[in-house]
Amino acid sequence: MRYTPEVSLDEYGVSLQNGFLPHSPPLKTMESPYYWPWEHIVSDLPDHIRFRTIRQAVETLPVLSTSKLQGEPEWRRAYLLLAYLTHAYIWGGEKPKDVLPPAISSPFLEVSSHLELPPCATYAALNLWNYATSDPNADLTDPDLLSVTASFTGTKDEEWFLMISVALEAKGAQLIPLMLDTIHAVSIDDAQLACDSLLALSEGLKELRKLLERMYEKNRPSVFYHQLRPLLAGSKNMASAGLPNGVFYDIGDGQGQWHQYSGGSNAQSSLIQTFDIFLGVEHIATGGMKTNDAVQPRAKNGFMQEMRNYMPGPHRRFLEMLTRVSNVRAYALSHKANSPIRDAYNAAVMSLGVFRDSHIQIVTRYIIMAAKAKPPTNESTQVNLATSTTTHMRDKNEKLTGGIHGTGGTDLIPFLKQTRDTTKATASYD
């Protein structure tokens, strides 16, 4: 590797082999029997949700201490279990619950603080720390070889949805040293090396798009939209789905706080934001939602910046470091239009834009079109993100764009299109 020697990937929890995935496979279960009460409920989570017994099960849990957790893999497993229990408890009934009991709140707040993450089902819990292979040497870029260690629905559809992202992370890991090589090439004014690296990145992004489009193979839109997606929803901007104030994290003795968090989102992938930072793509889309024709701003620095708060602390610091050292766009633009380096840079930017095109097409199929389909009979009485979205579309006679909220609370399609357009506009041909 040629990349700048002072960049220590270990410091940022980034693996040369696996990227933002753990260097070693995540724990499948807690070794200590002390934490098995969490494991037992999560292992039966699909049935608990199906038969509406999840809240009763959670309310019988003891308040377990985090003092027995040893090593980061155990902290991560605890975070995953509590994230699944949290969202199942909140969304696993006819109406959402807005008070989280101490048996979840107390340990979850402590575990989240340790990992520098919010206490909710983030991309880290759902994807990065939730995969297993039958063979320790299995190719992590092949979703057919991956399985989940926790599931809301127990369906292959959910597993495929999550494991496609894990495979993307593994495949994208190969591009991280390539980007660091490019930064180094620019720093020593090696235009040829920078050009070659950018062309290789462009091809790598095309491979990622092909992998993303495998989503259609084993994930049915109706299952994703009506069974899984409601359980991924956060507690922020979820008034229409039944959580006007967010969720109260009760830690006992009348103590606790109201919180509003975004749900799991691929915007929380450090890999995707790495591409943006490296190429100099600056997103200003807030993800704000329209209310009576007025846009409610989501965050001063935009939704993508806010999503960094939902990444593990070391990964967040990697992005901050990359922001400081990224030099590729300025270097490419310092060369004439139609020069090899400028063309290679533009090709990489457009490859990322086309990747986002594919993402929009997937969202359209799995959310927009699925929202128009009649929900399963046994799900129709529930109040959640799916029913509120479907009702909104019917009442407002919406077309394919406005009023559809993401699990993070964004005005989904306008946000994704603006993000895509911003990406492509970063290329410069003048």
Side-chain angles (χ1 to χ4, degrees), residues 108-243:
F108 203 10
L109 288 165
E110 292 174 11
V111 170
S112 300
S113 176
H114 175 86
L115 294 169
E116 302 176 75
L117 283 162
C120 59
T122 59
Y123 183 85
L126 297 164
N127 302 88
L128 299 181
W129 303 336
N130 184 30
Y131 69 91
T133 61
S134 56
D135 178 356
N137 298 314
D139 179 7
L140 299 185
T141 69
D142 184 353
D144 282 309
L145 303 180
L146 304 175
S147 59
V148 294
T149 64
S151 176
F152 290 114
T153 66
T155 61
K156 181 63 182 178
D157 307 77
E158 175 182 352
E159 183 170 69
W160 192 251
F161 169 71
L162 297 174
M163 293 306 97
I164 285 288
S165 287
V166 171
L168 283 168
E169 292 287 338
K171 198 163 190 66
Q174 304 161 11
L175 303 179
I176 294 173
L178 183 65
M179 287 183 277
L180 295 175
D181 280 351
T182 313
I183 290 171
H184 177 65
V186 167
S187 70
I188 60 174
D189 193 20
D190 188 335
Q192 185 60 54
L193 177 58
C195 181
D196 292 343
S197 298
L198 282 167
L199 290 173
L201 175 64
S202 181
E203 290 305 308
L205 288 167
K206 291 175 184 177
E207 291 299 313
L208 287 184
R209 178 175 59 83
K210 291 177 184 176
L211 182 54
L212 176 65
E213 290 176 350
R214 291 193 64 190
M215 183 67 72
Y216 303 112
E217 292 178 16
K218 300 177 185 178
N219 181 18
R220 293 165 291 175
S222 61
V223 175
F224 171 79
Y225 181 80
H226 291 290
Q227 293 180 234
L228 175 59
R229 187 170 180 262
L231 294 159
L232 301 178
S235 53
K236 191 170 191 174
N237 293 336
M238 288 293 157
S240 64
L243 293 179

Side-chain angles (χ1 to χ4, degrees), residues 75-83 108 112 115 117-118 120 122 125:
W75 284 95
R76 291 168 181 169
R77 181 67 184 173
Y79 181 80
L80 179 157
L81 294 171
L82 291 164
F108 203 10
S112 300
L115 294 169
L117 283 162
C120 59
T122 59

Side-chain angles (χ1 to χ4, degrees), residues 286-403:
T286 64
M289 297 184 301
K290 291 183 178 179
T291 304
N292 296 327
D293 296 325
V295 174
Q296 304 299 313
R298 166 173 265 281
K300 184 178 180 181
N301 294 322
F303 180 73
M304 298 293 276
Q305 182 73 30
E306 184 190 350
M307 286 298 97
R308 293 191 195 177
N309 297 325
Y310 291 78
M311 299 174 186
H315 295 174
R316 186 162 60 246
R317 287 186 283 279
F318 175 83
L319 297 182
E320 292 165 356
M321 177 277 294
L322 194 64
T323 300
R324 292 192 298 271
V325 303
S326 183
N327 53 12
V328 174
R329 185 170 193 269
Y331 184 73
L333 267 57
S334 71
H335 290 71
K336 293 179 179 179
N338 300 318
S339 62
I341 185 68
R342 181 83 77 91
D343 287 348
Y345 170 78
N346 286 341
V349 169
M350 295 310 291
S351 289
L352 182 59
V354 172
F355 178 88
R356 288 199 155 109
D357 281 331
S358 291
H359 184 216
I360 291 173
Q361 291 164 9
I362 287 173
V363 169
T364 300
R365 181 168 175 179
Y366 282 88
I367 298 176
I368 309 304
M369 300 310 296
K372 294 173 175 288
K374 187 177 180 180
T377 304
N378 63 339
E379 301 290 336
S380 60
T381 58
Q382 284 188 275
V383 177
N384 57 38
L385 186 60
T387 52
S388 67
T389 300
T390 302
T391 301
H392 176 91
M393 289 185 71
R394 183 182 64 241
D395 293 347
K396 300 294 185 181
N397 192 26
E398 292 283 356
K399 295 183 179 179
L400 292 184
T401 53

